[in-house]
Each structure stands twice: as structure tokens, then as C-alpha cells.
Amino acid sequence: MKKIFTKKVIIPVMLGVVFLTTSAFKNDFFEIAKQIEIFTTLFKELNMNYVDETNPGALMDTAIKSMLADLDPYTNFMNEQDVEAARINNTGDYTGIGARIKTMEDKLVVIEPYKDYPADQAGLKPGDEIIKIGNTVVANYKDHAGDLLKGTSDSSVEVTYLRQGKTHTATIKRAEVDIKAVPHFSMVNDKTGYIVLTRFNNKAYVETNYALRDLKAQGATKIILDLRGNPGGLLNEAIKIVNLFVPKGQLVVTTKSKVKKYNRSYITQNQPIDTEIPLVVLIDGASASASEIVSGALQDLDRAVIVGARSFGKGLVQRPKQLTYGTQVKITISRYYTPSGRCIQSLDYWNRNEKGEAVRVKQENYHEFKTKNGRKVFDGGGVLPDVALGATKNPTITKAIQDNDLIFNYAVDYYYNHKIEDINSFTLTDKDFSNFKSYLKTNDFSFETETEKALKKAFETSKKEALNDNIKKEYDDLINQLNISKNTVIDENKTYLLELLTEDIVKCYVYREGLYNYYKVHDTEIKKASEILSNSSSYQSYLR
């Protein structure tokens, strides 16, 4: 009897322990199951009983996007086309015509043909508007028209396109396209090598490794690594690239998550190529994610001087999870921290303002950290360069100009109206900038600021309250002053806008490859990097 009594006591106690350790999970599981059941029932009833015909796929797409919008912009649902685009981004390989294409409602616009690939060989140029692919009119095609340009290697596709208002046709033979992570490397001078790394796909380390070895063989005793405009990519590639310049066994980045298995410290695994070669890393506001891991780690370890503008500030790590029917969800699983312990995430998606917008971490809320040599570095606002350079820019107006394709379209028009003998001596003048401003007016460029929206909303409210007659003149004066101010802002951003124009114009003439050679002659950041590397004591002073 005693034994039996003991068993009866022990078993309930053990069950109690199991219940206590899993109760949180069970509570979450019940809540998730409950909400799924509610949603499933609602979705079924809505589609069965709504007064008009519904599109279940469109409704579900809206529901998913609305749900994810409350999180961060990197947690995304990926349909089959998105999954394929992510694969291409990670591998750099696909079969097609070899061009960067922008999809619009009634046409596909060639933004950049890749040199010596099929589109280029067929004579396509930036600005060409593809209106028909085979027998399919782009304007009538309901799915993603760009997919029609893809196909098996050596197959042909005929395209009809507009160039400067005239219709042309071309037959393009598709081929394997290899998008390089390192599209350019060369010597800036007899001692300084220059490597451009534009993406962290699964070839980034191999191509950067090759470029570094090749430049050293050419006599490079100093290196400039250009990460400007690099949006990031694969975490492991970033770690291996840092490892090219730092010893085996060095901490590069730490990830922290609510899920234990995602908490990791990433240590360099290989023997480096060169731990002593002087190194400058170039960054800008479009350098993000893996670019910030590389630049942040090399800064924290006092292994490189960082030159340029503050980076984007993405301190979050994503992982794709397989769903059904070939879809995926890419989920933010953790934050990452550089060797000094800082997270450079600049936008707070979890404590939004009253409008529901993510807020930028304020500078007074930055935390101070120390590099290996004891230099001060800060979290919360991207990677701050050791040497800050870069043209002034107003994100609102420059983004509006770019979003309306006015930089690109002006560059294309310039290409067809100007003959340039020596592209490396090309520079835009004050007259060119005046012409560009006139071009903006001719093309009815306008954008509405948040200030204008607030004023218009207030004026509409005044109408309802019958107060508008009293304030109409003042309102009109304010709107006029805002328009004058917007024109002033364009002038204030002259240097930056000229840089954007120059880049697109040069690419029209000599492709992206020629642009990098142009940079070596004219680029302010490359000149500064070369100057820092030319003086050993100056270089070391930044790292002390």
C-alpha cells in the first residue's frame, strides 16, 4: 500500500511540473488556434455571403500584408515570383536577356543593359520602352510582364520597343546571366587597389577574395573597399569577408533573439589573407545590413578607416520559412550586435508615434561603446564614419525626384542630345543644372510635403466651420511660401542632384563598368580614401 501511495503522489507532482513548464506554450498555442479559427470562419462567411463577387486571393493578400505591416518592413510574405527573385538575388544566376528592367503599367523600361549580355548585343539602351514581347502586348498582360523575357538558354524572344518616340524591334537570344557581387576591381594608383562590392550573394566572399589576391599580385599595398549602395544580403558572406582582413577566431557579430537557437556568436573560421594591409571602407546612406556588419566590425576592431556618410541603420536579421504552394515568409528573427556590443538599428518599429510610423532613434538616446583601441563609437544610428563626407541631401525632395524617374529620364535625353568624346573628362556645369530645373518644370514635377498636407487638412476643417473666408489669404500666402521654399531646397541639394545625374549619364555612355573608372578620377570619397592611405601616420591616427 505504501508503494502505491508513493506512486500516486509522485505522478501528479511530475505532471504538475510538466504543466508549469509548458503552460506558457499551451496558452500561446490556444490563443493562436483560437484566432486562426475566428479568421477562417470570417473568411469563409465573407466569400460565401458578400453582396458582390469577391476575389479570395486578393482578400487574403490584403489580410496578410495588413497583418505584417504592424511589424517591420523586412518581415514579408513571398509569393512564388518573390521566392524566385530572392533566389536570383542570393545566387546572382538566372536565364534571361541580361538587363535591369523597371515594370510599369503599360510597358517595361530598360534601366540598365548589362555589358556584352543579350540585351546589349541586340542593341537595347537605357530608356528603351518595351511595349510588346512576342505577340503579347505588355499593356494587356495581367501578370508580371518581365517574366516573359525569361526562358531557357539559347531560346529567342522578339521585343518591340519605343526609343525617343520611334518604334523598333529586336530579336534577343536569351543566355545565362551572372550578376557579380564584385563587378569591378582595379588599381587606383601604383600602390592602392580598389574593390567594389555591390551585394552579399553567395559569391561575395569568393569574388572579394579573388579581387584582393589579384590586386596584391599587381602590387597593391593598400585597399579601398567600396560598400556604397550595397543593401546587404547573406550574413555568412559578410563574416567571411571580414575574415579576409582579421585573424581566425575573432568575434565579428552576435545575434540575439527571443528564440534561443537563434542566439549565436559568429567567429572567423579561416586564415586571413592580410591582417596588416591598410584598409579604407566606403559607406553611404544606402549601405545596409551585411554592409553594416562588415564596416561596423572592421571599425570596432580598428582594422579599417570608415569614410563617407552614415549608413542606413538596419540591425535586424531575417530568415525565410517555407510555406505551402511554393510560398515563403521572411521573418525578422533577431537583432545583431557588432564586436563592441552595439546594435546600429536606426528605426524603432516597436514603439511607433501617434501616426503609427516607426521613429528614428534620437541622437541623445545613442549609447557609447568602445572599439578595440578605445575609440568611441555609438549605436542607434547606423555606422557613423570616421571621416564624414557626402553631399547635402533632403530625402523628401530627392526621393520625390527619383521616384518620378526624372533623374533617369533626363540622363537618357542628355545621352541622345550630346556627344562626349572623353567620358573621364565629363562634368556637369551650372548651365546643366539650370537646364535640369527647367526640365523639372516642363515635366510638371511637384510633390506634396507633410506641411502642405497638414495645412490643407486644416483649411478643409475651416470650411466646415465656416472660417475659411477669414483665413483664405493667409493660407494662400503660406502655400506660395512653401513652393518658393521647395525651389530653394532643390538649389540646396544641387551637388547631390548633380552627382545622381552624372552617374546615370555616364552609365548611358560607358555602362556600369565605365562608371567605376570614372569614379576613380572624380569621386570625392575615393580621393579622400587615397589621401588617407598615402600617409601612414595619418591613417594610423584615425585608428588611435
Side-chain angles (χ1 to χ4, degrees):
M1 292 294 292
K2 192 174 182 180
K3 271 187 179 178
I4 294 172
F5 175 75
T6 305
K7 285 180 181 176
K8 284 181 178 177
V9 171
I10 290 173
I11 290 170
V13 169
M14 289 178 67
L15 288 173
V17 171
V18 173
F19 175 77
L20 287 171
T21 56
T22 61
S23 60
F25 169 76
K26 286 183 176 178
N27 287 339
D28 284 349
F29 181 79
F30 173 75
E31 185 63 23
I32 291 168
K34 172 184 169 184
Q35 298 304 327
I36 288 173
E37 187 176 352
I38 291 170
F39 179 79
T40 303
T41 308
L42 180 149
F43 190 64
K44 186 173 92 172
E45 294 294 338
L46 187 66
N47 282 285
M48 287 175 63
N49 298 303
Y50 189 69
V51 62
D52 293 322
E53 285 296 317
T54 58
N55 182 329
L59 283 175
M60 182 59 76
D61 192 57
T62 301
I64 291 171
K65 287 177 180 175
S66 296
M67 175 176 65
L68 298 181
D70 279 345
L71 302 175
D72 65 77
Y74 313 112
T75 298
N76 295 320
F77 171 71
M78 301 165 71
N79 60 30
E80 291 171 278
Q81 289 82 9
D82 297 330
V83 171
E84 173 62 10
R87 183 198 68 77
I88 291 170
N89 189 55
N90 286 339
T91 64
D93 296 328
Y94 71 97
T95 304
I97 67 169
R100 188 157 68 90
I101 303 288
K102 180 172 182 176
T103 303
M104 303 185 79
E105 281 188 17
D106 57 346
K107 60 193 172 186
L108 301 175
V109 179
V110 178
I111 301 299
E112 181 182 355
Y114 303 141
K115 188 177 181 182
D116 297 330
Y117 276 105
D120 179 40
Q121 292 173 346
L124 265 65
K125 299 287 184 185
D128 288 348
E129 301 173 358
I130 299 173
I131 55 173
K132 191 175 177 183
I133 302 170
N135 294 319
T136 303
V137 177
V138 173
N140 298 335
Y141 194 70
K142 301 303 179 187
D143 294 322
H144 195 282
D147 291 340
L148 296 172
L149 297 173
K150 297 176 184 175
T152 57
S153 188
D154 292 329
S155 63
S156 294
V157 60
E158 184 176 81
V159 298
T160 303
Y161 62 94
L162 298 175
R163 175 184 294 169
Q164 300 289 287
K166 295 181 180 179
T167 304
H168 302 267
T169 60
T171 299
I172 307 173
K173 192 174 183 180
R174 299 182 182 97
E176 294 288 334
V177 179
D178 176 17
I179 303 172
K180 290 189 175 296
V182 177
H184 179 91
F185 67 90
S186 62
M187 298 293 285
V188 175
N189 53 49
D190 61 347
K191 295 295 181 184
T192 306
Y194 174 55
I195 302 172
V196 180
L197 177 58
T198 59
R199 65 190 69 224
F200 285 84
N201 62 19
N202 60 13
K203 300 173 185 175
Y205 164 72
V206 170
E207 292 181 12
T208 307
N209 185 326
Y210 178 84
L212 179 59
R213 291 178 183 275
D214 190 283
L215 291 170
K216 282 172 65 72
Q218 291 183 51
T221 57
K222 302 151 187 151
I223 294 292
I224 300 169
L225 176 62
D226 195 341
L227 297 180
R228 290 175 297 176
N230 187 323
L234 302 175
L235 175 66
N236 286 329
E237 293 294 304
I239 293 156
K240 289 192 287 186
I241 286 169
V242 172
N243 196 176
L244 294 171
F245 303 101
V246 304
K248 181 179 179 180
Q250 174 65 57
L251 174 67
V252 174
V253 67
T254 303
T255 57
K256 296 180 183 179
S257 169
K258 72 173 186 182
V259 182
K260 261 188 179 179
K261 67 179 180 179
Y262 298 143
N263 293 337
R264 279 196 63 182
S265 293
Y266 292 85
I267 311 294
T268 51
Q269 301 294 316
N270 305 316
Q271 293 300 327
I273 290 181
D274 196 326
T275 61
E276 300 294 331
I277 192 167
L279 175 65
V280 169
V281 178
L282 305 181
I283 61 172
D284 64 9
S287 305
S289 191
S291 291
E292 295 172 300
I293 290 174
V294 170
S295 54
L298 292 172
Q299 185 179 52
D300 283 2
L301 298 172
D302 295 303
R303 182 60 191 87
V305 176
I306 313 300
V307 172
R310 182 175 73 173
S311 66
F312 181 81
K314 181 177 178 286
L316 306 173
V317 180
Q318 287 72 45
R319 177 168 291 189
K321 296 287 186 180
Q322 301 292 332
L323 303 176
T324 54
Y325 299 104
T327 62
Q328 292 181 8
V329 60
K330 188 174 66 171
I331 304 174
T332 296
I333 59 167
S334 57
R335 292 178 175 84
Y336 71 77
Y337 299 80
T338 62
S340 68
R342 57 185 169 142
C343 179
I344 49 79
Q345 178 65 26
S346 63
L347 288 174
D348 186 348
Y349 297 105
W350 300 272
N351 296 290
R352 297 173 183 250
N353 62 20
E354 61 278 0
K355 295 180 182 177
E357 300 165 331
V359 294
R360 185 170 289 278
V361 178
K362 293 180 180 177
Q363 193 162 346
E364 57 264 30
N365 294 329
Y366 290 177
H367 299 96
E368 182 182 307
F369 295 82
K370 294 290 179 66
T371 69
K372 189 176 179 181
N373 289 342
R375 295 187 298 139
K376 293 178 183 179
V377 288
F378 301 90
D379 66 358
V383 175
L384 299 174
D386 302 308
V387 182
L389 297 173
T392 304
K393 52 190 170 186
N394 180 297
T396 305
I397 195 163
T398 54
K399 187 175 186 303
I401 291 171
Q402 288 178 289
D403 288 349
N404 282 276
D405 293 322
L406 292 166
I407 298 279
F408 175 74
N409 292 339
Y410 182 85
V412 170
D413 285 352
Y414 191 97
Y415 169 71
Y416 284 109
N417 289 293
H418 295 79
K419 187 175 181 180
I420 298 176
E421 298 293 340
D422 178 15
I423 196 67
N424 283 333
S425 64
F426 165 72
T427 55
L428 290 171
T429 64
D430 290 343
K431 184 180 177 182
D432 290 317
F433 188 66
S434 294
N435 290 339
F436 177 65
K437 289 195 293 182
S438 298
Y439 180 83
L440 294 180
K441 289 179 182 177
T442 303
N443 285 270
D444 298 321
F445 169 66
S446 64
F447 73 103
E448 193 173 46
T449 64
E450 290 300 318
T451 307
E452 283 175 290
K453 290 176 185 176
L455 283 171
K456 285 182 179 179
K457 187 175 180 181
F459 189 68
E460 288 302 315
T461 303
S462 75
K463 286 181 182 178
K464 294 175 186 176
E465 297 175 348
L467 298 171
N468 55 304
D469 289 341
N470 298 325
I471 62 170
K472 179 74 167 64
K473 184 180 183 305
E474 288 79 2
Y475 170 76
D476 289 341
D477 287 343
L478 280 170
I479 293 296
N480 287 333
Q481 285 302 314
L482 272 171
N483 288 327
I484 293 169
S485 178
K486 284 192 283 188
N487 289 327
T488 302
V489 169
I490 290 176
D491 288 330
E492 289 172 351
N493 284 268
K494 174 183 175 182
T495 302
Y496 181 63
L497 289 168
L498 285 176
E499 285 179 4
L500 295 176
L501 286 165
T502 299
E503 180 176 312
D504 276 2
I505 289 169
V506 170
K507 280 191 294 184
C508 286
Y509 287 93
V510 289
Y511 306 89
R512 185 166 291 273
E513 289 82 354
L515 176 64
Y516 297 126
N517 286 320
Y518 181 88
Y519 280 162
K520 290 194 299 182
V521 177
H522 296 278
D523 186 73
T524 304
E525 285 81 358
I526 292 176
K527 287 180 180 178
K528 184 62 179 179
S530 300
E531 178 190 319
I532 291 168
L533 290 168
S534 69
N535 187 320
S536 179
S537 60
S538 173
Y539 173 79
Q540 291 298 332
S541 70
Y542 286 108
L543 302 178
R544 286 196 294 269

